[in-house]
Amino acid sequence: LTGALLAAMLVFGIRRQVNMLNLQTLLVQPEDIAGLRWLEENLPQGSLVAINSWRWLGETWAGSDGGAWILPLTGHAVTTPPIDHIYNPDLFKQVREFNQSASAVSDWSDPAQAEWLSDQGVSHIFVGKRGGFFDPAKLAGNPKLELLYNRSGVLIFAVGE
């Protein structure tokens, strides 16, 4: 009886888990990996990288493209760290406020937006293959942002003063 129960749990558990990996949950694309390597090799220590994110659960924000892997793979700080940031109330509030403001921006080509990012301590922007609220075309049109990396839909900008 125990064996049958365990077998049933295994079969039904696998069926529920099989669709966990889908286009919504696969954040990093193959094109992002080269951008992550470049970022690790070329950004100075102490850089704060703005990344695309999305409202995941309630008021919790999560990375929405390859930028979600910057902190764990390169050690560079990001505007939306891995989900366990929710256990630090001050960091949770800071991440939530940044993302609410950033996601409300409609025109990233406006130099005032680069100044706002700089005021937040952001030194770079990473736009992964999946993208998000950072519009690459508008970012490229911002005179206060310098395009450092542009390959296969992955872009990295430096934020000017």
Side-chain angles (χ1 to χ4, degrees):
L1 183 62
T2 303
L5 179 61
L6 288 173
M9 288 173 47
L10 178 67
V11 168
F12 289 109
I14 288 173
R15 275 191 45 214
R16 291 196 43 101
Q17 298 294 318
V18 84
N19 64 357
M20 182 179 283
L21 292 178
N22 57 56
L23 293 177
Q24 185 68 20
T25 59
L26 291 174
L27 302 179
V28 69
Q29 303 295 311
E31 298 85 353
D32 293 318
I33 294 170
L36 291 169
R37 274 193 205 109
W38 186 93
L39 184 140
E40 180 178 27
E41 294 168 1
N42 293 283
L43 263 57
Q45 290 297 341
S47 298
L48 174 60
V49 183
I51 65 170
N52 284 302
S53 59
W54 62 298
R55 195 181 304 245
W56 180 55
L57 285 174
E59 293 297 314
T60 303
W61 290 79
S64 64
D65 63 17
W69 287 96
I70 291 173
L71 179 61
L73 295 180
T74 73
H76 287 291
V78 291
T79 53
T80 307
I83 290 299
D84 61 355
H85 77 269
I86 65 172
Y87 298 114
N88 178 327
D90 293 333
L91 181 58
F92 176 69
K93 180 181 180 205
Q94 178 184 347
V95 168
R96 184 182 69 233
E97 289 173 358
F98 175 87
N99 284 293
Q100 286 172 338
S101 296
S103 64
V105 173
S106 61
D107 185 7
W108 285 104
S109 65
D110 181 355
Q113 301 309 329
E115 291 172 13
W116 175 77
L117 287 169
S118 183
D119 291 345
Q120 306 302 307
V122 171
S123 60
H124 295 83
I125 304 168
F126 180 95
V127 180
K129 181 72 174 171
R130 285 189 61 191
F133 53 70
F134 284 117
D135 180 338
K138 299 238 175 140
L139 292 170
N142 190 319
K144 296 208 173 219
L145 299 177
E146 178 186 359
L147 181 60
L148 302 176
Y149 180 92
N150 182 8
R151 293 192 190 113
S152 304
V154 176
L155 297 93
I156 300 171
F157 295 88
V159 178
E161 295 295 318

